[in-house]
Amino acid sequence: MGFLWFGKKEKEKPAPDGLVRLDNYCGKYEPVQAIIKMYDGDHPIQQTVNAFLDSEVHGYNRERIISLLKIYKDLKEKGEPHRARDVELAEPTRRYPDGTYEPYDLELPFKCQRYGVVRAIIECYWSDVSVDRTLKFLREAGIQSYTTARIKKLIKIYLDLEKKGERFNYADVELLEGPVGGAKSAAKSGSSSSTKKSRSSEPDEDDLPEIDFDEPLLEYVDDSVKMNRDEKKLIADALPVFSTLNAHVMVVGKGLSPALLVTGPGGIGKSFSVEKILSHFGKKNKDFVIMKGKCTPSAMFEFLFRNYDKICVFDDCDSVLSSKEGIAVLKGALDSGRTREISWNTKRPDMVDTFDCETRKEVLARLKEWSKAHKGKAGVPNHFQFEGSVIFVSNMTRKELASKDSALLTRCDLVDIKVTRDEVLTRIRYLLPEIKIYDANGKNISKAGLKKEVFRWISSPTFLNDRRMRNKAIDFRVFIKAYKARFANMPNWKQMAFSN
């Protein structure tokens, strides 16, 4: 590397606006680009350092600025490309967890869904977007499997192909990258035994993604409507679809909507969001009640009668849809009409005829009369008016529910949740501080450090790209099972995670 002398006299002199104070930094210059411009403008090193301090741009101290300028001068003397991005690519991989940037006004290709991830990375390179910021953009888009080192590697492969004048596309760049996670492939090693070893051996800690847990994910919430700050914070989420779900539950909690149907795959946090929002409006088992698991139509009917004026949540009770009677009860409960009359027409020995009763007081009086006549035995009405609200959380898809009875979807508000693997990982990462894990006796065994360690593993390319995870979903259950194995100090807990 060429020699660079930094013996310039530290003298005071005016500097162009936007360089020393970096007033236009966010919209005009990236960090390395600004450093080079100030050096070419004959500004003292300390003045550059002060400019970053004044502008509160973190991650660039005097030592790193000098190192970057040495790389710049060396590339320039060799006649090699020495743009700001080329300098940053030549810099040894370093991690700055305190690096923060203001929003950049570049229209991100991957947010527009115009390009694949690799091409989006290249587009950012040619748009003079730094590697650190490119990584941040990928995180904002819910893409977790790219690290700073991986982004640099892809760009270097692309530049090497371009320099050789070879014909290629962006898929070729990714193919030349090789396996992600540090293990050598059989194609490169030429040995089937090495492949076997790479599949069974424990990956190195260096293979795990670099995740800055101290940097909060962006919270999605529509700012077009003014509302209470606490409520806005309550419905905010890293994924738009869950912000929508939270808002719908809030409308139910405020007593404005009598029925909500939530569909989507299990283990992605639907129930967590529902209970979190409802807890803001009242107490569990007092203002809202939850029935979980297998449920018969008669059990649902009695549950609604006992809790006629509460918010009733049916979580994972899809079994009730296996009969016409169950669908009839659910349709009555989910009806968004002004009055909801729920009936149960079966010949049960404890069934009491209450069809002619107009008020709940009359229904209770009829049940009391029947009980006296049957030696104190409790009876069940065959008809009553429901005055509460219902939230039905289903693991079925919208299409599956429609095949049961299409009228279900038209009687209430509906939130249909569809998420990708990366989006589920983004949600787990977002909710990590709030996730509580309990042992078999109900004791809270959650530890922040262990949760972060487990998340690093299940979000790593080594785990996600393993053949054992092929066609398998990533959800909160995978995370919780892996956490319990780690909490138990199992030496092979990472391998146990594949058995989920």
Side-chain angles (χ1 to χ4, degrees), residues 375-421:
K375 299 179 180 180
K377 186 178 179 180
V380 178
N382 62 1
H383 179 84
F384 69 93
Q385 284 194 1
F386 182 71
E387 300 172 13
S389 301
V390 171
I391 299 178
F392 192 84
V393 183
S394 173
N395 291 338
M396 289 185 177
T397 64
R398 178 174 181 165
K399 185 177 181 180
E400 289 171 336
L401 279 173
S403 67
K404 297 285 185 181
D405 193 312
S406 58
L408 280 173
L409 308 181
T410 62
R411 286 174 172 255
C412 58
D413 295 335
L414 171 66
V415 179
D416 187 27
I417 298 178
K418 297 176 182 178
V419 286
T420 64
R421 254 189 178 189

Side-chain angles (χ1 to χ4, degrees), residues 14-51:
D17 289 339
L19 288 177
V20 174
R21 293 178 57 202
L22 295 179
D23 287 340
N24 299 323
Y25 164 74
C26 297
K28 196 169 184 179
Y29 301 116
E30 288 278 338
V32 180
Q33 186 182 12
I35 290 168
I36 292 171
K37 282 184 174 290
M38 295 182 75
Y39 172 75
D40 288 339
D42 203 33
H43 297 290
I45 301 301
Q46 189 57 47
Q47 201 171 54
T48 305
V49 174
N50 292 338

Side-chain angles (χ1 to χ4, degrees), residues 58-59 96-101 136 212 215:
H58 305 289
Y96 295 91
D98 63 338
T100 56
Y101 302 101
K136 183 178 179 182
D212 180 10
E215 180 184 358

Side-chain angles (χ1 to χ4, degrees), residues 99-112:
T100 56
Y101 302 101
E102 294 298 322
Y104 195 74
D105 57 4
L106 177 72
E107 185 180 11
L108 296 176
F110 38 80
K111 280 195 173 181
C112 301

Side-chain angles (χ1 to χ4, degrees), residues 3-11 39 42-46 62 66 69-70 73:
F3 177 75
L4 181 65
W5 180 62
F6 292 97
K8 297 179 182 179
K9 183 179 179 181
E10 302 284 339
K11 56 184 179 179
Y39 172 75
D42 203 33
H43 297 290
I45 301 301
Q46 189 57 47
R62 184 184 181 89
I66 291 176
L69 288 174
K70 285 181 178 179
K73 185 167 176 64

